[in-house]
Structure formats: structure tokens, C-alpha cells
Amino acid sequence: SLGDDWSRDLDVVEVPIENRPLIYLGTIIFLVGAVFLGRILYLNVFLGDYYKIRSEANASKHDRILAPRGLILDRNGKTLADNVATFSLLLDAKEFLKTDELREKTLQALEETLYIPKALVLDLVEAASGEDFVTPVVLSEDLTQDEFIELKGLNLPSLVIESGFKRRYQNGAVFAPVVGYVGRVSAEDLKADFKFSNRDFIGRAGVESFYDKELRGESGTVVKLTNAKGSTLLSSKMNEPQIGKSLRLTIDSGFQYYFYSRLAAGLRVLGRGVGVGLAINPQNGEILAMVALPSFDNNILSAAGHSSEKREILSS
């Protein structure tokens, strides 16, 4: 169009353009196109699986259903360790950090209900991995009924109440040297086995530790389909939790209790507090009783809180 207009102007002199500028322009267009094409291929071919997983993770949420540990029984079937249903409070760090308003409401609720200082909650969130906010932060392992009702009524998306189990030991001090105790997984445990989450418990001593894999069981999985706002549209179980295997010991609980009482009484008479006792069936080598004094209450080491009591036991 411009050429037609200029062709009628007598003052315009046409100068032919050399091929070099067109070559430069074509080269630039080719390079820019090649960069865009390469980026598209890289995102779709090399990182296709990665972004597919991320999109599925954004659309669905996988929650673990913790499996109760197997029972520990004596030779006659009497329970030495079982499970009690509990409610735990978890902090969804991803939701917690979404808005300042929600963050302030959450901190205030925790301070007023559970008396957890705001600074401590922020430290727990900061201690979590900066790239992984999928695993919630455990705030309380055993909510009371009043705490459960009050927190549930707040309906804060940042606070998740989860049903679970805690370990209960019968006559803790009597059987602690044999049964041992469980504890929440540590950072080292999480690095050693990627299947763990910070909500899991593992055996720390005694047969709880030695037979941990058999007693632990297999956690279940619930998949929740969510929309772009994070609201749950559909919830379904992928697999049910499998309770751990029960463990029957050769220990005779009646004999163990009798042995413990008599040994403690004998030591008191002697003015001493340290002693051990072992009763073995000489016909087959079965351990019928195994006592160690002074002992400890394994219910304290397995439960949440009791920090001062735990320090006293572990430093004794």
C-alpha cells in the first residue's frame, strides 16, 4: 500500500534492499521460534509427568488413615499393651499461610484453647520444610472432649482434627523392661524411611522396638477431590488400614507381677533400690519373667507432654 502511494510521488527514489537484512531478520525469527518450540517440548515431554502429578495433587488430596498397632499379650492371652482412641489436632501449614486474617484467627484460637503461644506455632511452621506443606504439623496428640468441641466449632480450614490411637500399657512399671514403649518418629526416622510421616509412631525399646515392623500395621489412604477453591467435592478410600499383628510373649503376667513385688520388697529390706531378676523355663528356655529395678512408667514415655517426667526418666 505504501509502495503504491510512494510510486506516485516524484520525489521518492526507490533503493533496492540487499538480502543481508532479510537474512538477519529471518535468523532472529527462527531463533525466537526455536526457543519457544524447545520450551514447549521441554515442558510437555521432559517435564510432562512432573506437571501431571502436580496437577493431580492440586485437584486431589491424599490423607493417611493411621493403623492401630497390634496387641501385646502374655502367654495366657492377657493384654499387656493395647490402643485407645484419641483425637489429634493438626495444623495445615498450606492453609495457615494463605491469608493474614486466617493466620491470626488460628493463632488466637490455639492460644486461647490449648494455651500454645503464637511464637511457638510460628516456630513449628518455620521448622517444617519450605517446599513440603503437604504433611500437617502436629499440635496436640490427645484432645479433651471440651477442646474437641470448641475447636470443631471454630470451623477453621487451617486446623484439622484427626482420629487416631495412643498406646496404653497395663501395669507400666512392672512390664516396661520387657514391653518397652513407642514414640513419634524423629527427623532421622523420616530420612531413613520415606514411608513414614510425622504422625507415625515406632517402637523405641523392648519388644515394641524389636518387633516394630510386625506390630506397626499398614496405614490406609483416603483421596479427596477438590475444586480450585480447595473445597472437597468427593471423598473415597483407596485402601483400608491394616491393623498390626498381635504378639504373644512367653511372659507369665501373674508371675511377672509377683516377681516384681517380691524383688522390690526384698530390696527395700536391704536398703537398696537396684536389682534384676530373670525366670527361665529350664526345659525349653522360655522367659517367664524379667524384672529390672528401678523401673519406669512406659505410658509416660509414649504419651504426649510430660516433658519434665520424660527428662527425669531418660537422664536417670
Side-chain angles (χ1 to χ4, degrees), residues 47-104:
L47 295 182
D49 292 338
Y50 169 74
Y51 283 108
K52 180 181 178 182
I53 293 172
R54 285 196 61 178
S55 64
E56 291 174 350
N58 289 332
S60 61
K61 182 180 179 182
H62 292 68
D63 289 337
R64 298 183 67 194
I65 307 175
L66 300 181
R69 287 178 72 86
L71 304 178
I72 299 179
L73 312 170
D74 79 341
R75 66 185 302 112
N76 300 312
K78 184 175 180 180
T79 302
L80 302 180
D82 60 0
N83 308 291
V84 180
T86 60
F87 288 101
S88 301
L89 180 66
L90 312 175
L91 177 68
D92 189 331
K94 186 176 180 181
E95 291 289 338
F96 176 75
L97 297 172
K98 272 188 176 180
T99 64
D100 294 337
E101 182 181 2
L102 178 59
R103 185 159 57 249
E104 188 59 34

Short mmCIF file of all heavy atoms in Angstrom, two decimals, residues 47-104:
data_model
loop_
_atom_site.label_atom_id
_atom_site.label_comp_id
_atom_site.label_asym_id
_atom_site.label_seq_id
_atom_site.Cartn_x
_atom_site.Cartn_y
_atom_site.Cartn_z
N LEU A 47 9.18 -32.71 31.19
CA LEU A 47 8.56 -32.43 32.48
C LEU A 47 7.07 -32.75 32.48
O LEU A 47 6.35 -32.35 33.40
CB LEU A 47 8.77 -30.96 32.85
CG LEU A 47 10.22 -30.52 33.10
CD1 LEU A 47 10.25 -29.05 33.49
CD2 LEU A 47 10.86 -31.37 34.19
N GLY A 48 6.63 -33.47 31.48
CA GLY A 48 5.19 -33.76 31.38
C GLY A 48 4.67 -34.54 32.58
O GLY A 48 3.63 -34.21 33.15
N ASP A 49 5.40 -35.59 32.97
CA ASP A 49 4.96 -36.40 34.11
C ASP A 49 4.95 -35.58 35.40
O ASP A 49 4.06 -35.73 36.24
CB ASP A 49 5.88 -37.61 34.28
CG ASP A 49 5.73 -38.60 33.13
OD1 ASP A 49 4.67 -38.56 32.47
OD2 ASP A 49 6.66 -39.39 32.90
N TYR A 50 5.96 -34.72 35.56
CA TYR A 50 6.05 -33.90 36.77
C TYR A 50 4.84 -32.99 36.90
O TYR A 50 4.21 -32.91 37.96
CB TYR A 50 7.34 -33.08 36.73
CG TYR A 50 7.43 -32.00 37.78
CD1 TYR A 50 7.68 -32.33 39.11
CD2 TYR A 50 7.26 -30.66 37.44
CE1 TYR A 50 7.76 -31.33 40.08
CE2 TYR A 50 7.34 -29.66 38.41
CZ TYR A 50 7.59 -30.01 39.72
OH TYR A 50 7.66 -29.03 40.67
N TYR A 51 4.49 -32.27 35.82
CA TYR A 51 3.35 -31.36 35.89
C TYR A 51 2.02 -32.10 35.94
O TYR A 51 1.04 -31.59 36.49
CB TYR A 51 3.39 -30.38 34.71
CG TYR A 51 4.41 -29.29 34.89
CD1 TYR A 51 5.58 -29.28 34.14
CD2 TYR A 51 4.22 -28.29 35.83
CE1 TYR A 51 6.53 -28.29 34.32
CE2 TYR A 51 5.16 -27.29 36.01
CZ TYR A 51 6.32 -27.30 35.27
OH TYR A 51 7.25 -26.32 35.46
N LYS A 52 2.00 -33.31 35.41
CA LYS A 52 0.79 -34.11 35.53
C LYS A 52 0.54 -34.48 36.98
O LYS A 52 -0.59 -34.39 37.49
CB LYS A 52 0.92 -35.38 34.68
CG LYS A 52 -0.30 -36.28 34.76
CD LYS A 52 -0.10 -37.55 33.93
CE LYS A 52 -1.32 -38.46 34.05
NZ LYS A 52 -1.14 -39.71 33.29
N ILE A 53 1.61 -34.89 37.68
CA ILE A 53 1.49 -35.23 39.09
C ILE A 53 1.09 -34.00 39.91
O ILE A 53 0.25 -34.08 40.81
CB ILE A 53 2.83 -35.81 39.62
CG1 ILE A 53 3.10 -37.17 38.94
CG2 ILE A 53 2.80 -35.98 41.12
CD1 ILE A 53 4.48 -37.73 39.25
N ARG A 54 1.69 -32.85 39.57
CA ARG A 54 1.35 -31.62 40.30
C ARG A 54 -0.10 -31.22 40.10
O ARG A 54 -0.78 -30.80 41.03
CB ARG A 54 2.27 -30.48 39.87
CG ARG A 54 3.67 -30.57 40.42
CD ARG A 54 4.39 -29.24 40.29
NE ARG A 54 3.72 -28.19 41.02
CZ ARG A 54 4.17 -26.93 41.09
NH1 ARG A 54 5.28 -26.60 40.46
NH2 ARG A 54 3.52 -26.02 41.77
N SER A 55 -0.59 -31.37 38.88
CA SER A 55 -1.99 -31.01 38.61
C SER A 55 -2.94 -31.96 39.34
O SER A 55 -3.97 -31.54 39.87
CB SER A 55 -2.26 -31.05 37.10
OG SER A 55 -2.12 -32.36 36.60
N GLU A 56 -2.56 -33.26 39.37
CA GLU A 56 -3.40 -34.21 40.10
C GLU A 56 -3.35 -33.93 41.60
O GLU A 56 -4.35 -34.09 42.31
CB GLU A 56 -2.92 -35.64 39.82
CG GLU A 56 -3.20 -36.10 38.39
CD GLU A 56 -2.59 -37.46 38.11
OE1 GLU A 56 -1.82 -37.95 38.95
OE2 GLU A 56 -2.90 -38.03 37.03
N ALA A 57 -2.18 -33.52 42.09
CA ALA A 57 -2.05 -33.20 43.52
C ALA A 57 -2.89 -31.98 43.88
O ALA A 57 -3.45 -31.90 44.97
CB ALA A 57 -0.59 -32.96 43.87
N ASN A 58 -2.96 -31.00 42.96
CA ASN A 58 -3.78 -29.82 43.21
C ASN A 58 -5.27 -30.15 43.18
O ASN A 58 -6.06 -29.53 43.88
CB ASN A 58 -3.49 -28.74 42.17
CG ASN A 58 -2.12 -28.12 42.36
OD1 ASN A 58 -1.60 -28.10 43.47
ND2 ASN A 58 -1.52 -27.64 41.29
N ALA A 59 -5.64 -31.12 42.37
CA ALA A 59 -7.05 -31.49 42.23
C ALA A 59 -7.48 -32.50 43.28
O ALA A 59 -8.66 -32.62 43.58
CB ALA A 59 -7.33 -32.05 40.83
N SER A 60 -6.54 -33.25 43.85
CA SER A 60 -6.89 -34.27 44.83
C SER A 60 -5.92 -34.22 46.01
O SER A 60 -4.77 -33.82 45.86
CB SER A 60 -6.86 -35.67 44.19
OG SER A 60 -5.57 -35.96 43.70
N LYS A 61 -6.40 -34.63 47.15
CA LYS A 61 -5.61 -34.63 48.38
C LYS A 61 -5.63 -36.02 48.98
O LYS A 61 -6.69 -36.61 49.17
CB LYS A 61 -6.18 -33.61 49.36
CG LYS A 61 -5.40 -33.50 50.66
CD LYS A 61 -6.04 -32.46 51.57
CE LYS A 61 -5.27 -32.36 52.88
NZ LYS A 61 -5.91 -31.37 53.80
N HIS A 62 -4.45 -36.57 49.25
CA HIS A 62 -4.33 -37.90 49.83
C HIS A 62 -4.08 -37.78 51.33
O HIS A 62 -3.10 -37.17 51.76
CB HIS A 62 -3.17 -38.67 49.17
CG HIS A 62 -3.42 -39.04 47.75
ND1 HIS A 62 -3.49 -38.09 46.74
CD2 HIS A 62 -3.63 -40.25 47.15
CE1 HIS A 62 -3.72 -38.70 45.59
NE2 HIS A 62 -3.80 -40.00 45.80
N ASP A 63 -4.99 -38.33 52.12
CA ASP A 63 -4.85 -38.35 53.57
C ASP A 63 -4.61 -39.77 54.05
O ASP A 63 -5.21 -40.73 53.54
CB ASP A 63 -6.11 -37.80 54.25
CG ASP A 63 -6.24 -36.30 54.06
OD1 ASP A 63 -5.20 -35.65 53.82
OD2 ASP A 63 -7.36 -35.78 54.15
N ARG A 64 -3.73 -39.92 55.04
CA ARG A 64 -3.43 -41.24 55.60
C ARG A 64 -4.39 -41.55 56.74
O ARG A 64 -4.74 -40.68 57.53
CB ARG A 64 -2.00 -41.29 56.10
CG ARG A 64 -0.97 -41.06 55.03
CD ARG A 64 0.43 -41.21 55.60
NE ARG A 64 0.70 -42.59 55.99
CZ ARG A 64 1.71 -42.97 56.75
NH1 ARG A 64 2.52 -42.08 57.24
NH2 ARG A 64 1.91 -44.23 57.03
N ILE A 65 -4.81 -42.82 56.79
CA ILE A 65 -5.58 -43.32 57.93
C ILE A 65 -4.65 -44.21 58.73
O ILE A 65 -4.24 -45.27 58.26
CB ILE A 65 -6.82 -44.12 57.46
CG1 ILE A 65 -7.65 -43.31 56.48
CG2 ILE A 65 -7.66 -44.53 58.66
CD1 ILE A 65 -8.81 -44.10 55.89
N LEU A 66 -4.28 -43.75 59.91
CA LEU A 66 -3.31 -44.48 60.70
C LEU A 66 -3.88 -45.82 61.15
O LEU A 66 -5.04 -45.92 61.55
CB LEU A 66 -2.89 -43.66 61.92
CG LEU A 66 -2.23 -42.30 61.60
CD1 LEU A 66 -1.84 -41.61 62.89
CD2 LEU A 66 -1.02 -42.49 60.71
N ALA A 67 -3.04 -46.84 61.10
CA ALA A 67 -3.45 -48.18 61.51
C ALA A 67 -3.09 -48.40 62.98
O ALA A 67 -2.01 -48.01 63.42
CB ALA A 67 -2.75 -49.24 60.65
N PRO A 68 -3.98 -48.99 63.76
CA PRO A 68 -3.64 -49.30 65.15
C PRO A 68 -2.57 -50.38 65.22
O PRO A 68 -2.53 -51.28 64.39
CB PRO A 68 -4.97 -49.79 65.75
CG PRO A 68 -5.78 -50.24 64.57
CD PRO A 68 -5.37 -49.38 63.41
N ARG A 69 -1.70 -50.26 66.22
CA ARG A 69 -0.66 -51.27 66.40
C ARG A 69 -1.27 -52.55 66.92
O ARG A 69 -2.34 -52.56 67.55
CB ARG A 69 0.40 -50.76 67.40
CG ARG A 69 1.29 -49.69 66.84
CD ARG A 69 2.28 -49.18 67.88
NE ARG A 69 3.33 -50.15 68.17
CZ ARG A 69 4.45 -50.25 67.48
NH1 ARG A 69 4.66 -49.46 66.44
NH2 ARG A 69 5.39 -51.13 67.82
N GLY A 70 -0.57 -53.65 66.66
CA GLY A 70 -1.03 -54.94 67.15
C GLY A 70 -0.93 -55.02 68.67
O GLY A 70 -0.15 -54.30 69.31
N LEU A 71 -1.72 -55.91 69.25
CA LEU A 71 -1.72 -56.07 70.70
C LEU A 71 -0.49 -56.86 71.15
O LEU A 71 0.06 -57.67 70.39
CB LEU A 71 -2.98 -56.80 71.15
CG LEU A 71 -4.33 -56.19 70.74
CD1 LEU A 71 -5.47 -57.06 71.24
CD2 LEU A 71 -4.46 -54.78 71.28
N ILE A 72 -0.08 -56.63 72.38
CA ILE A 72 0.97 -57.43 73.00
C ILE A 72 0.32 -58.19 74.16
O ILE A 72 -0.27 -57.58 75.05
CB ILE A 72 2.14 -56.56 73.50
CG1 ILE A 72 2.78 -55.82 72.33
CG2 ILE A 72 3.17 -57.42 74.23
CD1 ILE A 72 3.92 -54.91 72.74
N LEU A 73 0.43 -59.52 74.12
CA LEU A 73 -0.24 -60.39 75.10
C LEU A 73 0.78 -61.23 75.84
O LEU A 73 1.90 -61.46 75.34
CB LEU A 73 -1.24 -61.31 74.38
CG LEU A 73 -2.18 -60.65 73.35
CD1 LEU A 73 -2.91 -61.72 72.56
CD2 LEU A 73 -3.17 -59.74 74.06
N ASP A 74 0.40 -61.69 77.03
CA ASP A 74 1.28 -62.61 77.73
C ASP A 74 0.97 -64.04 77.26
O ASP A 74 0.15 -64.25 76.36
CB ASP A 74 1.14 -62.46 79.25
CG ASP A 74 -0.09 -63.15 79.81
OD1 ASP A 74 -1.04 -63.45 79.04
OD2 ASP A 74 -0.12 -63.41 81.02
N ARG A 75 1.60 -65.03 77.85
CA ARG A 75 1.46 -66.41 77.39
C ARG A 75 0.03 -66.93 77.54
O ARG A 75 -0.39 -67.85 76.84
CB ARG A 75 2.43 -67.32 78.13
CG ARG A 75 2.17 -67.45 79.61
CD ARG A 75 3.25 -68.26 80.32
NE ARG A 75 3.40 -69.61 79.77
CZ ARG A 75 4.47 -70.02 79.11
NH1 ARG A 75 5.49 -69.20 78.92
NH2 ARG A 75 4.54 -71.25 78.65
N ASN A 76 -0.75 -66.32 78.44
CA ASN A 76 -2.13 -66.76 78.67
C ASN A 76 -3.16 -65.89 77.96
O ASN A 76 -4.37 -66.05 78.16
CB ASN A 76 -2.42 -66.76 80.18
CG ASN A 76 -1.49 -67.69 80.93
OD1 ASN A 76 -1.30 -68.84 80.54
ND2 ASN A 76 -0.89 -67.18 82.01
N GLY A 77 -2.70 -64.97 77.12
CA GLY A 77 -3.63 -64.13 76.35
C GLY A 77 -4.04 -62.86 77.07
O GLY A 77 -4.92 -62.13 76.57
N LYS A 78 -3.43 -62.54 78.21
CA LYS A 78 -3.77 -61.31 78.92
C LYS A 78 -3.07 -60.14 78.24
O LYS A 78 -1.88 -60.20 77.92
CB LYS A 78 -3.35 -61.40 80.39
CG LYS A 78 -3.77 -60.19 81.20
CD LYS A 78 -3.43 -60.36 82.67
CE LYS A 78 -3.88 -59.14 83.47
NZ LYS A 78 -3.57 -59.29 84.92
N THR A 79 -3.81 -59.04 78.05
CA THR A 79 -3.29 -57.89 77.32
C THR A 79 -2.28 -57.11 78.16
O THR A 79 -2.57 -56.72 79.29
CB THR A 79 -4.44 -56.95 76.90
OG1 THR A 79 -5.37 -57.68 76.10
CG2 THR A 79 -3.91 -55.77 76.10
N LEU A 80 -1.12 -56.88 77.56
CA LEU A 80 -0.10 -56.05 78.20
C LEU A 80 -0.01 -54.68 77.54
O LEU A 80 0.40 -53.71 78.17
CB LEU A 80 1.27 -56.74 78.12
CG LEU A 80 1.37 -58.14 78.74
CD1 LEU A 80 2.78 -58.69 78.58
CD2 LEU A 80 0.95 -58.12 80.20
N ALA A 81 -0.37 -54.59 76.26
CA ALA A 81 -0.35 -53.32 75.53
C ALA A 81 -1.48 -53.32 74.52
O ALA A 81 -1.63 -54.27 73.74
CB ALA A 81 0.99 -53.10 74.84
N ASP A 82 -2.30 -52.27 74.53
CA ASP A 82 -3.38 -52.14 73.55
C ASP A 82 -3.47 -50.68 73.11
O ASP A 82 -2.56 -49.89 73.36
CB ASP A 82 -4.72 -52.64 74.11
CG ASP A 82 -5.15 -51.87 75.36
OD1 ASP A 82 -4.41 -50.95 75.78
OD2 ASP A 82 -6.21 -52.19 75.93
N ASN A 83 -4.56 -50.32 72.43
CA ASN A 83 -4.71 -48.98 71.87
C ASN A 83 -5.97 -48.31 72.39
O ASN A 83 -6.99 -48.97 72.60
CB ASN A 83 -4.77 -49.05 70.34
CG ASN A 83 -3.61 -49.82 69.75
OD1 ASN A 83 -2.47 -49.38 69.80
ND2 ASN A 83 -3.88 -51.00 69.21
N VAL A 84 -5.90 -47.00 72.56
CA VAL A 84 -7.04 -46.20 72.98
C VAL A 84 -7.30 -45.15 71.91
O VAL A 84 -6.36 -44.50 71.43
CB VAL A 84 -6.78 -45.52 74.34
CG1 VAL A 84 -7.99 -44.70 74.77
CG2 VAL A 84 -6.46 -46.56 75.40
N ALA A 85 -8.57 -44.98 71.53
CA ALA A 85 -8.93 -43.99 70.50
C ALA A 85 -8.68 -42.58 71.03
O ALA A 85 -8.99 -42.25 72.18
CB ALA A 85 -10.39 -44.15 70.10
N THR A 86 -8.11 -41.73 70.19
CA THR A 86 -7.83 -40.34 70.55
C THR A 86 -8.17 -39.42 69.38
O THR A 86 -8.41 -39.87 68.26
CB THR A 86 -6.34 -40.14 70.91
OG1 THR A 86 -5.54 -40.49 69.76
CG2 THR A 86 -5.94 -40.99 72.11
N PHE A 87 -8.16 -38.13 69.66
CA PHE A 87 -8.29 -37.11 68.62
C PHE A 87 -7.06 -36.21 68.67
O PHE A 87 -6.71 -35.68 69.72
CB PHE A 87 -9.56 -36.27 68.81
CG PHE A 87 -10.83 -37.02 68.51
CD1 PHE A 87 -11.60 -37.54 69.53
CD2 PHE A 87 -11.23 -37.22 67.20
CE1 PHE A 87 -12.76 -38.23 69.26
CE2 PHE A 87 -12.39 -37.92 66.91
CZ PHE A 87 -13.15 -38.43 67.95
N SER A 88 -6.40 -36.07 67.51
CA SER A 88 -5.22 -35.23 67.41
C SER A 88 -5.55 -33.96 66.65
O SER A 88 -6.41 -33.95 65.76
CB SER A 88 -4.09 -35.98 66.69
OG SER A 88 -3.76 -37.16 67.37
N LEU A 89 -4.85 -32.88 66.99
CA LEU A 89 -5.03 -31.61 66.29
C LEU A 89 -3.81 -31.36 65.42
O LEU A 89 -2.68 -31.35 65.89
CB LEU A 89 -5.19 -30.46 67.30
CG LEU A 89 -5.38 -29.08 66.66
CD1 LEU A 89 -6.70 -29.01 65.89
CD2 LEU A 89 -5.32 -27.99 67.72
N LEU A 90 -4.07 -31.14 64.13
CA LEU A 90 -3.01 -30.90 63.15
C LEU A 90 -3.17 -29.52 62.54
O LEU A 90 -4.29 -29.02 62.39
CB LEU A 90 -3.05 -31.96 62.05
CG LEU A 90 -3.15 -33.42 62.50
CD1 LEU A 90 -3.30 -34.32 61.29
CD2 LEU A 90 -1.94 -33.82 63.32
N LEU A 91 -2.06 -28.91 62.20
CA LEU A 91 -2.07 -27.61 61.54
C LEU A 91 -1.72 -27.78 60.07
O LEU A 91 -0.63 -28.27 59.74
CB LEU A 91 -1.06 -26.67 62.21
CG LEU A 91 -0.92 -25.29 61.57
CD1 LEU A 91 -2.19 -24.48 61.77
CD2 LEU A 91 0.28 -24.54 62.15
N ASP A 92 -2.64 -27.41 59.20
CA ASP A 92 -2.40 -27.44 57.76
C ASP A 92 -1.64 -26.17 57.40
O ASP A 92 -2.22 -25.09 57.29
CB ASP A 92 -3.73 -27.51 57.00
CG ASP A 92 -3.55 -27.76 55.51
OD1 ASP A 92 -2.51 -27.34 54.98
OD2 ASP A 92 -4.43 -28.37 54.89
N ALA A 93 -0.32 -26.31 57.24
CA ALA A 93 0.53 -25.14 57.01
C ALA A 93 0.17 -24.40 55.73
O ALA A 93 0.28 -23.17 55.65
CB ALA A 93 2.00 -25.57 56.99
N LYS A 94 -0.25 -25.13 54.72
CA LYS A 94 -0.59 -24.51 53.44
C LYS A 94 -1.80 -23.58 53.60
O LYS A 94 -1.79 -22.46 53.10
CB LYS A 94 -0.89 -25.60 52.40
CG LYS A 94 -1.11 -25.07 50.99
CD LYS A 94 -1.31 -26.21 50.02
CE LYS A 94 -1.52 -25.69 48.60
NZ LYS A 94 -1.73 -26.80 47.64
N GLU A 95 -2.83 -24.05 54.31
CA GLU A 95 -4.00 -23.21 54.57
C GLU A 95 -3.65 -22.07 55.52
O GLU A 95 -4.12 -20.94 55.37
CB GLU A 95 -5.13 -24.06 55.16
CG GLU A 95 -5.75 -25.06 54.20
CD GLU A 95 -6.58 -24.39 53.13
OE1 GLU A 95 -7.02 -23.24 53.35
OE2 GLU A 95 -6.79 -24.99 52.06
N PHE A 96 -2.82 -22.39 56.51
CA PHE A 96 -2.45 -21.42 57.54
C PHE A 96 -1.79 -20.18 56.93
O PHE A 96 -1.99 -19.05 57.40
CB PHE A 96 -1.51 -22.10 58.55
CG PHE A 96 -0.97 -21.19 59.60
CD1 PHE A 96 -1.76 -20.76 60.65
CD2 PHE A 96 0.35 -20.76 59.55
CE1 PHE A 96 -1.25 -19.92 61.63
CE2 PHE A 96 0.87 -19.92 60.53
CZ PHE A 96 0.06 -19.50 61.57
N LEU A 97 -1.01 -20.36 55.88
CA LEU A 97 -0.25 -19.26 55.28
C LEU A 97 -0.99 -18.55 54.15
O LEU A 97 -0.44 -17.63 53.54
CB LEU A 97 1.09 -19.79 54.75
CG LEU A 97 2.05 -20.35 55.80
CD1 LEU A 97 3.24 -21.00 55.14
CD2 LEU A 97 2.50 -19.25 56.75
N LYS A 98 -2.24 -18.94 53.89
CA LYS A 98 -2.95 -18.36 52.75
C LYS A 98 -3.26 -16.88 52.96
O LYS A 98 -3.00 -16.06 52.09
CB LYS A 98 -4.25 -19.15 52.50
CG LYS A 98 -4.06 -20.34 51.58
CD LYS A 98 -5.39 -20.96 51.20
CE LYS A 98 -5.18 -22.10 50.19
NZ LYS A 98 -6.48 -22.71 49.80
N THR A 99 -3.87 -16.54 54.11
CA THR A 99 -4.26 -15.16 54.36
C THR A 99 -3.84 -14.73 55.76
O THR A 99 -3.75 -15.56 56.68
CB THR A 99 -5.78 -14.96 54.22
OG1 THR A 99 -6.45 -15.75 55.23
CG2 THR A 99 -6.27 -15.39 52.84
N ASP A 100 -3.60 -13.44 55.93
CA ASP A 100 -3.23 -12.91 57.24
C ASP A 100 -4.38 -13.06 58.23
O ASP A 100 -4.16 -13.32 59.42
CB ASP A 100 -2.84 -11.44 57.12
CG ASP A 100 -1.57 -11.24 56.31
OD1 ASP A 100 -0.78 -12.21 56.22
OD2 ASP A 100 -1.37 -10.14 55.77
N GLU A 101 -5.61 -12.90 57.74
CA GLU A 101 -6.78 -12.99 58.62
C GLU A 101 -6.92 -14.40 59.20
O GLU A 101 -7.12 -14.57 60.42
CB GLU A 101 -8.05 -12.63 57.84
CG GLU A 101 -9.31 -12.66 58.71
CD GLU A 101 -10.57 -12.33 57.91
OE1 GLU A 101 -10.44 -12.11 56.68
OE2 GLU A 101 -11.65 -12.30 58.50
N LEU A 102 -6.80 -15.42 58.34
CA LEU A 102 -6.90 -16.81 58.81
C LEU A 102 -5.74 -17.14 59.74
O LEU A 102 -5.93 -17.84 60.75
CB LEU A 102 -6.91 -17.76 57.61
CG LEU A 102 -6.95 -19.25 57.94
CD1 LEU A 102 -8.20 -19.59 58.76
CD2 LEU A 102 -6.92 -20.09 56.67
N ARG A 103 -4.57 -16.64 59.43
CA ARG A 103 -3.40 -16.91 60.27
C ARG A 103 -3.60 -16.34 61.68
O ARG A 103 -3.32 -17.00 62.68
CB ARG A 103 -2.15 -16.32 59.62
CG ARG A 103 -0.87 -16.65 60.33
CD ARG A 103 0.34 -16.51 59.43
NE ARG A 103 0.46 -15.19 58.85
CZ ARG A 103 0.30 -14.91 57.57
NH1 ARG A 103 -0.01 -15.87 56.71
NH2 ARG A 103 0.45 -13.69 57.11
N GLU A 104 -4.13 -15.13 61.77
CA GLU A 104 -4.35 -14.50 63.07
C GLU A 104 -5.44 -15.21 63.86
O GLU A 104 -5.32 -15.42 65.08
CB GLU A 104 -4.71 -13.03 62.87
CG GLU A 104 -4.77 -12.23 64.16
CD GLU A 104 -3.46 -12.25 64.93
OE1 GLU A 104 -2.40 -12.28 64.29
OE2 GLU A 104 -3.51 -12.26 66.18
#
